[in-house]
Amino acid sequence: MTQKKGSKNYLKQKISATVFLAWILFGFFSGSALGYLIFQNSDDDVIKLSMVYSSEKSTWISETAILFQEFWEEKRVQDSSLKKISLDFQPYGSGDSLIALLNGETKPTIWSPASNIWIPLLNAKWSQYKLTDELIVPNFTRLIYSPVVIATWEDFYAEHPFNGLNDLHDLISENPGLVNMAHTDPRSSNSGFMATIMMVSSFLNMDPELMSVENLTQEPLQSWMSELEEAAIFYGKSTGFLGKYMRDQGPDALQIAILYENLVQDYGQAAEERYGQKIIAVYPEEGALFSDHPFCILNTEWVSEDQRMVAEEYLKFIGQKEIITKAISTGFRPINTEFLNDATVHEVYSQSFNADHGVTADPSIILELQPPADGTVIGRIPDLWLLTRNSV
């Protein structure tokens, strides 16, 4: 009897389990089909806005995404014909995002690299790969920027003052072993790419916009750059890591770093608490390239008219004074300097840009260089660096 009862219970358990499994499978397939229909239909009612952007501005972009979503919902209350939107904003290295665009790995509506120096290169490569004269980036929007500066320590600068890259070259050449310098690898990092262009510009005494391929092949230029690069102790992939290394390792480890001005603000005061002196920004007298974070609505087949419309609305939204003020608070300067005439904006600006943070409050002393207009010239910059880099 015990065996029969056990067998019967076992059979009942098997039947129950089978029925349960059958219901699960039915629910899965029917639910999947229903879910597919639901989401397939809802795709027509939702405009997907995607953007890949340089990570330096991630704090600001993350905040703007939330605010824009709220703004759009308020617009929909006023205009019921507007569709819902979904935002997919992903931080991406500038060079890596360019490659991902070319190979189809990413297909955003908006591309926002760290600097507009990448735009001629993308346009040139796009035309080459797609066999078209139509530009993928016919125009772009500039709202904020951070100049590339020479970061150094207060005490080092007081003892060994210099005003630009030519002075820095002479300081290194005349004092072997005095300077430990670093910048990022121009093959993978925007700041290193820009630093290399600024070196060429300084030696040639020429705005980068006018550079030719022939300029890059000059032996005197290559010798000069090799002498400057002799002080490099490493080439990192991340500009943020470079700033943290300078802050954490101190004035004896790294005297010079070429990076973004906003990183001086981020790490300068923390360095002072640790070592009794600030990291300060030196603005090269030869001029500086601006990491101007252009916003590019891509001219491609994967960008729909609806997506373009929402992208244009987003750029209008983040170009407002109140939203730009939030960027200023995170260390970026406004392209539109008229915003600084507003007392509230100027107060936020003054709190970010001052001598206590190791940077200047006066943007007029920063001479902006224009990037090379020729994508071929831009493409040769990493090759030049490979010829002149220090083998560390």
PDB file of all heavy atoms in Angstrom, residues 13-45:
ATOM      1  N   GLN A  13       2.529  14.171  -8.987  1.00  0.00           N
ATOM      2  CA  GLN A  13       3.547  15.214  -9.036  1.00  0.00           C
ATOM      3  C   GLN A  13       4.056  15.417 -10.457  1.00  0.00           C
ATOM      4  O   GLN A  13       4.272  16.526 -10.909  1.00  0.00           O
ATOM      5  CB  GLN A  13       4.702  14.877  -8.094  1.00  0.00           C
ATOM      6  CG  GLN A  13       4.322  14.986  -6.611  1.00  0.00           C
ATOM      7  CD  GLN A  13       5.398  14.445  -5.710  1.00  0.00           C
ATOM      8  OE1 GLN A  13       6.471  14.042  -6.179  1.00  0.00           O
ATOM      9  NE2 GLN A  13       5.135  14.412  -4.423  1.00  0.00           N
ATOM     10  N   LYS A  14       4.252  14.300 -11.163  1.00  0.00           N
ATOM     11  CA  LYS A  14       4.739  14.361 -12.539  1.00  0.00           C
ATOM     12  C   LYS A  14       3.735  15.083 -13.430  1.00  0.00           C
ATOM     13  O   LYS A  14       4.089  15.912 -14.246  1.00  0.00           O
ATOM     14  CB  LYS A  14       4.985  12.956 -13.093  1.00  0.00           C
ATOM     15  CG  LYS A  14       6.211  12.262 -12.521  1.00  0.00           C
ATOM     16  CD  LYS A  14       7.504  12.830 -13.083  1.00  0.00           C
ATOM     17  CE  LYS A  14       7.711  12.391 -14.511  1.00  0.00           C
ATOM     18  NZ  LYS A  14       8.985  12.900 -15.062  1.00  0.00           N
ATOM     19  N   ILE A  15       2.413  14.697 -13.231  1.00  0.00           N
ATOM     20  CA  ILE A  15       1.366  15.337 -14.037  1.00  0.00           C
ATOM     21  C   ILE A  15       1.299  16.832 -13.741  1.00  0.00           C
ATOM     22  O   ILE A  15       1.226  17.664 -14.633  1.00  0.00           O
ATOM     23  CB  ILE A  15       0.005  14.655 -13.773  1.00  0.00           C
ATOM     24  CG1 ILE A  15       0.024  13.225 -14.314  1.00  0.00           C
ATOM     25  CG2 ILE A  15      -1.134  15.451 -14.399  1.00  0.00           C
ATOM     26  CD1 ILE A  15      -1.178  12.412 -13.910  1.00  0.00           C
ATOM     27  N   SER A  16       1.365  17.179 -12.445  1.00  0.00           N
ATOM     28  CA  SER A  16       1.305  18.589 -12.053  1.00  0.00           C
ATOM     29  C   SER A  16       2.473  19.369 -12.639  1.00  0.00           C
ATOM     30  O   SER A  16       2.327  20.484 -13.150  1.00  0.00           O
ATOM     31  CB  SER A  16       1.323  18.723 -10.527  1.00  0.00           C
ATOM     32  OG  SER A  16       0.199  18.096  -9.978  1.00  0.00           O
ATOM     33  N   ALA A  17       3.648  18.745 -12.563  1.00  0.00           N
ATOM     34  CA  ALA A  17       4.842  19.413 -13.089  1.00  0.00           C
ATOM     35  C   ALA A  17       4.737  19.620 -14.591  1.00  0.00           C
ATOM     36  O   ALA A  17       5.103  20.668 -15.124  1.00  0.00           O
ATOM     37  CB  ALA A  17       6.090  18.597 -12.753  1.00  0.00           C
ATOM     38  N   THR A  18       4.187  18.586 -15.261  1.00  0.00           N
ATOM     39  CA  THR A  18       4.048  18.676 -16.717  1.00  0.00           C
ATOM     40  C   THR A  18       3.064  19.770 -17.113  1.00  0.00           C
ATOM     41  O   THR A  18       3.300  20.552 -18.029  1.00  0.00           O
ATOM     42  CB  THR A  18       3.584  17.331 -17.294  1.00  0.00           C
ATOM     43  OG1 THR A  18       4.523  16.329 -16.917  1.00  0.00           O
ATOM     44  CG2 THR A  18       3.483  17.384 -18.811  1.00  0.00           C
ATOM     45  N   VAL A  19       1.917  19.787 -16.382  1.00  0.00           N
ATOM     46  CA  VAL A  19       0.911  20.820 -16.647  1.00  0.00           C
ATOM     47  C   VAL A  19       1.495  22.208 -16.377  1.00  0.00           C
ATOM     48  O   VAL A  19       1.308  23.157 -17.155  1.00  0.00           O
ATOM     49  CB  VAL A  19      -0.352  20.573 -15.790  1.00  0.00           C
ATOM     50  CG1 VAL A  19      -1.302  21.760 -15.892  1.00  0.00           C
ATOM     51  CG2 VAL A  19      -1.037  19.283 -16.221  1.00  0.00           C
ATOM     52  N   PHE A  20       2.230  22.297 -15.261  1.00  0.00           N
ATOM     53  CA  PHE A  20       2.838  23.593 -14.886  1.00  0.00           C
ATOM     54  C   PHE A  20       3.808  24.064 -15.957  1.00  0.00           C
ATOM     55  O   PHE A  20       3.814  25.227 -16.369  1.00  0.00           O
ATOM     56  CB  PHE A  20       3.548  23.442 -13.538  1.00  0.00           C
ATOM     57  CG  PHE A  20       4.194  24.710 -13.057  1.00  0.00           C
ATOM     58  CD1 PHE A  20       3.419  25.802 -12.667  1.00  0.00           C
ATOM     59  CD2 PHE A  20       5.570  24.817 -12.993  1.00  0.00           C
ATOM     60  CE1 PHE A  20       4.014  26.966 -12.220  1.00  0.00           C
ATOM     61  CE2 PHE A  20       6.164  25.974 -12.553  1.00  0.00           C
ATOM     62  CZ  PHE A  20       5.388  27.048 -12.153  1.00  0.00           C
ATOM     63  N   LEU A  21       4.632  23.104 -16.433  1.00  0.00           N
ATOM     64  CA  LEU A  21       5.591  23.428 -17.483  1.00  0.00           C
ATOM     65  C   LEU A  21       4.884  23.846 -18.774  1.00  0.00           C
ATOM     66  O   LEU A  21       5.295  24.791 -19.454  1.00  0.00           O
ATOM     67  CB  LEU A  21       6.502  22.220 -17.743  1.00  0.00           C
ATOM     68  CG  LEU A  21       7.567  22.405 -18.837  1.00  0.00           C
ATOM     69  CD1 LEU A  21       8.493  23.552 -18.483  1.00  0.00           C
ATOM     70  CD2 LEU A  21       8.355  21.110 -19.016  1.00  0.00           C
ATOM     71  N   ALA A  22       3.778  23.121 -19.069  1.00  0.00           N
ATOM     72  CA  ALA A  22       3.029  23.451 -20.282  1.00  0.00           C
ATOM     73  C   ALA A  22       2.466  24.865 -20.207  1.00  0.00           C
ATOM     74  O   ALA A  22       2.499  25.621 -21.185  1.00  0.00           O
ATOM     75  CB  ALA A  22       1.898  22.439 -20.484  1.00  0.00           C
ATOM     76  N   TRP A  23       1.950  25.225 -19.025  1.00  0.00           N
ATOM     77  CA  TRP A  23       1.420  26.582 -18.868  1.00  0.00           C
ATOM     78  C   TRP A  23       2.533  27.624 -19.000  1.00  0.00           C
ATOM     79  O   TRP A  23       2.346  28.692 -19.573  1.00  0.00           O
ATOM     80  CB  TRP A  23       0.729  26.726 -17.494  1.00  0.00           C
ATOM     81  CG  TRP A  23      -0.705  26.295 -17.532  1.00  0.00           C
ATOM     82  CD1 TRP A  23      -1.247  25.163 -16.994  1.00  0.00           C
ATOM     83  CD2 TRP A  23      -1.782  26.991 -18.167  1.00  0.00           C
ATOM     84  NE1 TRP A  23      -2.585  25.102 -17.248  1.00  0.00           N
ATOM     85  CE2 TRP A  23      -2.958  26.233 -17.972  1.00  0.00           C
ATOM     86  CE3 TRP A  23      -1.878  28.180 -18.877  1.00  0.00           C
ATOM     87  CZ2 TRP A  23      -4.184  26.606 -18.458  1.00  0.00           C
ATOM     88  CZ3 TRP A  23      -3.108  28.561 -19.366  1.00  0.00           C
ATOM     89  CH2 TRP A  23      -4.244  27.795 -19.153  1.00  0.00           C
ATOM     90  N   ILE A  24       3.703  27.289 -18.444  1.00  0.00           N
ATOM     91  CA  ILE A  24       4.835  28.232 -18.539  1.00  0.00           C
ATOM     92  C   ILE A  24       5.222  28.451 -20.004  1.00  0.00           C
ATOM     93  O   ILE A  24       5.440  29.573 -20.442  1.00  0.00           O
ATOM     94  CB  ILE A  24       6.039  27.693 -17.747  1.00  0.00           C
ATOM     95  CG1 ILE A  24       5.725  27.809 -16.281  1.00  0.00           C
ATOM     96  CG2 ILE A  24       7.310  28.406 -18.137  1.00  0.00           C
ATOM     97  CD1 ILE A  24       6.851  28.158 -15.382  1.00  0.00           C
ATOM     98  N   LEU A  25       5.325  27.318 -20.726  1.00  0.00           N
ATOM     99  CA  LEU A  25       5.705  27.412 -22.135  1.00  0.00           C
ATOM    100  C   LEU A  25       4.654  28.183 -22.930  1.00  0.00           C
ATOM    101  O   LEU A  25       4.983  29.021 -23.772  1.00  0.00           O
ATOM    102  CB  LEU A  25       5.902  26.016 -22.732  1.00  0.00           C
ATOM    103  CG  LEU A  25       7.128  25.257 -22.208  1.00  0.00           C
ATOM    104  CD1 LEU A  25       7.120  23.827 -22.723  1.00  0.00           C
ATOM    105  CD2 LEU A  25       8.405  25.966 -22.616  1.00  0.00           C
ATOM    106  N   PHE A  26       3.372  27.879 -22.623  1.00  0.00           N
ATOM    107  CA  PHE A  26       2.302  28.589 -23.321  1.00  0.00           C
ATOM    108  C   PHE A  26       2.373  30.088 -23.017  1.00  0.00           C
ATOM    109  O   PHE A  26       2.272  30.934 -23.909  1.00  0.00           O
ATOM    110  CB  PHE A  26       0.942  28.027 -22.892  1.00  0.00           C
ATOM    111  CG  PHE A  26      -0.210  28.808 -23.461  1.00  0.00           C
ATOM    112  CD1 PHE A  26      -0.597  28.656 -24.784  1.00  0.00           C
ATOM    113  CD2 PHE A  26      -0.905  29.718 -22.665  1.00  0.00           C
ATOM    114  CE1 PHE A  26      -1.645  29.385 -25.306  1.00  0.00           C
ATOM    115  CE2 PHE A  26      -1.950  30.446 -23.182  1.00  0.00           C
ATOM    116  CZ  PHE A  26      -2.331  30.276 -24.504  1.00  0.00           C
ATOM    117  N   GLY A  27       2.563  30.378 -21.729  1.00  0.00           N
ATOM    118  CA  GLY A  27       2.646  31.784 -21.328  1.00  0.00           C
ATOM    119  C   GLY A  27       3.830  32.479 -21.963  1.00  0.00           C
ATOM    120  O   GLY A  27       3.749  33.629 -22.384  1.00  0.00           O
ATOM    121  N   PHE A  28       4.958  31.743 -22.040  1.00  0.00           N
ATOM    122  CA  PHE A  28       6.159  32.342 -22.623  1.00  0.00           C
ATOM    123  C   PHE A  28       5.939  32.697 -24.088  1.00  0.00           C
ATOM    124  O   PHE A  28       6.164  33.817 -24.523  1.00  0.00           O
ATOM    125  CB  PHE A  28       7.342  31.390 -22.483  1.00  0.00           C
ATOM    126  CG  PHE A  28       8.581  31.868 -23.194  1.00  0.00           C
ATOM    127  CD1 PHE A  28       9.376  32.855 -22.645  1.00  0.00           C
ATOM    128  CD2 PHE A  28       8.938  31.332 -24.424  1.00  0.00           C
ATOM    129  CE1 PHE A  28      10.510  33.298 -23.303  1.00  0.00           C
ATOM    130  CE2 PHE A  28      10.061  31.766 -25.087  1.00  0.00           C
ATOM    131  CZ  PHE A  28      10.861  32.749 -24.517  1.00  0.00           C
ATOM    132  N   PHE A  29       5.454  31.684 -24.855  1.00  0.00           N
ATOM    133  CA  PHE A  29       5.308  31.916 -26.288  1.00  0.00           C
ATOM    134  C   PHE A  29       4.189  32.899 -26.591  1.00  0.00           C
ATOM    135  O   PHE A  29       4.336  33.779 -27.433  1.00  0.00           O
ATOM    136  CB  PHE A  29       5.071  30.589 -27.021  1.00  0.00           C
ATOM    137  CG  PHE A  29       6.311  29.747 -27.087  1.00  0.00           C
ATOM    138  CD1 PHE A  29       6.380  28.520 -26.440  1.00  0.00           C
ATOM    139  CD2 PHE A  29       7.416  30.204 -27.776  1.00  0.00           C
ATOM    140  CE1 PHE A  29       7.520  27.748 -26.500  1.00  0.00           C
ATOM    141  CE2 PHE A  29       8.565  29.435 -27.853  1.00  0.00           C
ATOM    142  CZ  PHE A  29       8.636  28.208 -27.206  1.00  0.00           C
ATOM    143  N   SER A  30       3.069  32.732 -25.885  1.00  0.00           N
ATOM    144  CA  SER A  30       1.969  33.652 -26.145  1.00  0.00           C
ATOM    145  C   SER A  30       2.326  35.049 -25.654  1.00  0.00           C
ATOM    146  O   SER A  30       2.022  36.049 -26.305  1.00  0.00           O
ATOM    147  CB  SER A  30       0.675  33.170 -25.478  1.00  0.00           C
ATOM    148  OG  SER A  30       0.828  33.129 -24.070  1.00  0.00           O
ATOM    149  N   GLY A  31       2.997  35.076 -24.481  1.00  0.00           N
ATOM    150  CA  GLY A  31       3.427  36.375 -23.945  1.00  0.00           C
ATOM    151  C   GLY A  31       4.440  37.027 -24.846  1.00  0.00           C
ATOM    152  O   GLY A  31       4.412  38.239 -25.078  1.00  0.00           O
ATOM    153  N   SER A  32       5.359  36.230 -25.376  1.00  0.00           N
ATOM    154  CA  SER A  32       6.370  36.780 -26.281  1.00  0.00           C
ATOM    155  C   SER A  32       5.720  37.335 -27.524  1.00  0.00           C
ATOM    156  O   SER A  32       6.067  38.414 -28.007  1.00  0.00           O
ATOM    157  CB  SER A  32       7.379  35.691 -26.677  1.00  0.00           C
ATOM    158  OG  SER A  32       8.076  35.240 -25.551  1.00  0.00           O
ATOM    159  N   ALA A  33       4.762  36.562 -28.059  1.00  0.00           N
ATOM    160  CA  ALA A  33       4.082  37.027 -29.266  1.00  0.00           C
ATOM    161  C   ALA A  33       3.294  38.291 -28.979  1.00  0.00           C
ATOM    162  O   ALA A  33       3.325  39.262 -29.753  1.00  0.00           O
ATOM    163  CB  ALA A  33       3.154  35.932 -29.791  1.00  0.00           C
ATOM    164  N   LEU A  34       2.577  38.277 -27.823  1.00  0.00           N
ATOM    165  CA  LEU A  34       1.795  39.455 -27.462  1.00  0.00           C
ATOM    166  C   LEU A  34       2.708  40.642 -27.186  1.00  0.00           C
ATOM    167  O   LEU A  34       2.459  41.760 -27.631  1.00  0.00           O
ATOM    168  CB  LEU A  34       0.943  39.140 -26.215  1.00  0.00           C
ATOM    169  CG  LEU A  34       0.017  40.259 -25.724  1.00  0.00           C
ATOM    170  CD1 LEU A  34      -0.974  40.631 -26.811  1.00  0.00           C
ATOM    171  CD2 LEU A  34      -0.688  39.818 -24.449  1.00  0.00           C
ATOM    172  N   GLY A  35       3.801  40.341 -26.447  1.00  0.00           N
ATOM    173  CA  GLY A  35       4.764  41.413 -26.157  1.00  0.00           C
ATOM    174  C   GLY A  35       5.350  41.981 -27.425  1.00  0.00           C
ATOM    175  O   GLY A  35       5.531  43.191 -27.561  1.00  0.00           O
ATOM    176  N   TYR A  36       5.654  41.099 -28.364  1.00  0.00           N
ATOM    177  CA  TYR A  36       6.217  41.555 -29.636  1.00  0.00           C
ATOM    178  C   TYR A  36       5.248  42.492 -30.344  1.00  0.00           C
ATOM    179  O   TYR A  36       5.615  43.556 -30.835  1.00  0.00           O
ATOM    180  CB  TYR A  36       6.536  40.358 -30.535  1.00  0.00           C
ATOM    181  CG  TYR A  36       7.005  40.760 -31.916  1.00  0.00           C
ATOM    182  CD1 TYR A  36       8.317  41.177 -32.125  1.00  0.00           C
ATOM    183  CD2 TYR A  36       6.126  40.745 -33.002  1.00  0.00           C
ATOM    184  CE1 TYR A  36       8.754  41.564 -33.380  1.00  0.00           C
ATOM    185  CE2 TYR A  36       6.539  41.134 -34.266  1.00  0.00           C
ATOM    186  CZ  TYR A  36       7.859  41.535 -34.453  1.00  0.00           C
ATOM    187  OH  TYR A  36       8.275  41.910 -35.699  1.00  0.00           O
ATOM    188  N   LEU A  37       3.959  42.081 -30.338  1.00  0.00           N
ATOM    189  CA  LEU A  37       2.957  42.909 -31.006  1.00  0.00           C
ATOM    190  C   LEU A  37       2.811  44.255 -30.309  1.00  0.00           C
ATOM    191  O   LEU A  37       2.706  45.296 -30.955  1.00  0.00           O
ATOM    192  CB  LEU A  37       1.604  42.180 -31.030  1.00  0.00           C
ATOM    193  CG  LEU A  37       1.514  40.957 -31.960  1.00  0.00           C
ATOM    194  CD1 LEU A  37       0.190  40.241 -31.746  1.00  0.00           C
ATOM    195  CD2 LEU A  37       1.664  41.381 -33.422  1.00  0.00           C
ATOM    196  N   ILE A  38       2.821  44.193 -28.976  1.00  0.00           N
ATOM    197  CA  ILE A  38       2.678  45.438 -28.217  1.00  0.00           C
ATOM    198  C   ILE A  38       3.826  46.379 -28.513  1.00  0.00           C
ATOM    199  O   ILE A  38       3.648  47.546 -28.857  1.00  0.00           O
ATOM    200  CB  ILE A  38       2.594  45.147 -26.695  1.00  0.00           C
ATOM    201  CG1 ILE A  38       1.271  44.457 -26.368  1.00  0.00           C
ATOM    202  CG2 ILE A  38       2.753  46.435 -25.888  1.00  0.00           C
ATOM    203  CD1 ILE A  38       1.186  43.960 -24.948  1.00  0.00           C
ATOM    204  N   PHE A  39       5.077  45.854 -28.375  1.00  0.00           N
ATOM    205  CA  PHE A  39       6.231  46.717 -28.559  1.00  0.00           C
ATOM    206  C   PHE A  39       6.439  47.077 -30.022  1.00  0.00           C
ATOM    207  O   PHE A  39       6.950  48.134 -30.335  1.00  0.00           O
ATOM    208  CB  PHE A  39       7.485  46.066 -27.970  1.00  0.00           C
ATOM    209  CG  PHE A  39       7.481  46.089 -26.471  1.00  0.00           C
ATOM    210  CD1 PHE A  39       7.252  44.929 -25.746  1.00  0.00           C
ATOM    211  CD2 PHE A  39       7.679  47.270 -25.791  1.00  0.00           C
ATOM    212  CE1 PHE A  39       7.237  44.953 -24.363  1.00  0.00           C
ATOM    213  CE2 PHE A  39       7.679  47.306 -24.408  1.00  0.00           C
ATOM    214  CZ  PHE A  39       7.446  46.146 -23.685  1.00  0.00           C
ATOM    215  N   GLN A  40       6.029  46.160 -30.901  1.00  0.00           N
ATOM    216  CA  GLN A  40       6.127  46.480 -32.321  1.00  0.00           C
ATOM    217  C   GLN A  40       5.221  47.656 -32.647  1.00  0.00           C
ATOM    218  O   GLN A  40       5.598  48.580 -33.356  1.00  0.00           O
ATOM    219  CB  GLN A  40       5.724  45.253 -33.153  1.00  0.00           C
ATOM    220  CG  GLN A  40       5.877  45.428 -34.655  1.00  0.00           C
ATOM    221  CD  GLN A  40       7.318  45.449 -35.083  1.00  0.00           C
ATOM    222  OE1 GLN A  40       8.196  45.153 -34.281  1.00  0.00           O
ATOM    223  NE2 GLN A  40       7.580  45.830 -36.313  1.00  0.00           N
ATOM    224  N   ASN A  41       4.040  47.633 -32.087  1.00  0.00           N
ATOM    225  CA  ASN A  41       3.115  48.732 -32.319  1.00  0.00           C
ATOM    226  C   ASN A  41       3.601  50.005 -31.642  1.00  0.00           C
ATOM    227  O   ASN A  41       3.471  51.090 -32.180  1.00  0.00           O
ATOM    228  CB  ASN A  41       1.714  48.370 -31.790  1.00  0.00           C
ATOM    229  CG  ASN A  41       1.056  47.289 -32.662  1.00  0.00           C
ATOM    230  OD1 ASN A  41       1.382  47.142 -33.826  1.00  0.00           O
ATOM    231  ND2 ASN A  41       0.133  46.534 -32.067  1.00  0.00           N
ATOM    232  N   SER A  42       4.145  49.849 -30.420  1.00  0.00           N
ATOM    233  CA  SER A  42       4.551  51.040 -29.683  1.00  0.00           C
ATOM    234  C   SER A  42       5.758  51.709 -30.311  1.00  0.00           C
ATOM    235  O   SER A  42       5.977  52.896 -30.110  1.00  0.00           O
ATOM    236  CB  SER A  42       4.860  50.687 -28.225  1.00  0.00           C
ATOM    237  OG  SER A  42       6.006  49.870 -28.139  1.00  0.00           O
ATOM    238  N   ASP A  43       6.547  50.974 -31.095  1.00  0.00           N
ATOM    239  CA  ASP A  43       7.683  51.579 -31.777  1.00  0.00           C
ATOM    240  C   ASP A  43       7.248  52.732 -32.665  1.00  0.00           C
ATOM    241  O   ASP A  43       7.975  53.708 -32.842  1.00  0.00           O
ATOM    242  CB  ASP A  43       8.421  50.536 -32.638  1.00  0.00           C
ATOM    243  CG  ASP A  43       9.340  49.669 -31.794  1.00  0.00           C
ATOM    244  OD1 ASP A  43       9.535  50.013 -30.611  1.00  0.00           O
ATOM    245  OD2 ASP A  43       9.847  48.669 -32.312  1.00  0.00           O
ATOM    246  N   ASP A  44       6.064  52.618 -33.248  1.00  0.00           N
ATOM    247  CA  ASP A  44       5.570  53.664 -34.124  1.00  0.00           C
ATOM    248  C   ASP A  44       5.171  54.907 -33.352  1.00  0.00           C
ATOM    249  O   ASP A  44       5.038  55.986 -33.928  1.00  0.00           O
ATOM    250  CB  ASP A  44       4.359  53.159 -34.931  1.00  0.00           C
ATOM    251  CG  ASP A  44       4.738  52.024 -35.877  1.00  0.00           C
ATOM    252  OD1 ASP A  44       5.918  51.987 -36.289  1.00  0.00           O
ATOM    253  OD2 ASP A  44       3.875  51.190 -36.180  1.00  0.00           O
ATOM    254  N   ASP A  45       4.946  54.751 -32.055  1.00  0.00           N
ATOM    255  CA  ASP A  45       4.493  55.865 -31.239  1.00  0.00           C
ATOM    256  C   ASP A  45       5.614  56.482 -30.402  1.00  0.00           C
ATOM    257  O   ASP A  45       5.372  57.416 -29.644  1.00  0.00           O
ATOM    258  CB  ASP A  45       3.376  55.394 -30.295  1.00  0.00           C
ATOM    259  CG  ASP A  45       2.183  54.848 -31.065  1.00  0.00           C
ATOM    260  OD1 ASP A  45       1.892  55.415 -32.133  1.00  0.00           O
ATOM    261  OD2 ASP A  45       1.577  53.865 -30.612  1.00  0.00           O
TER     262      ASP A  45
END
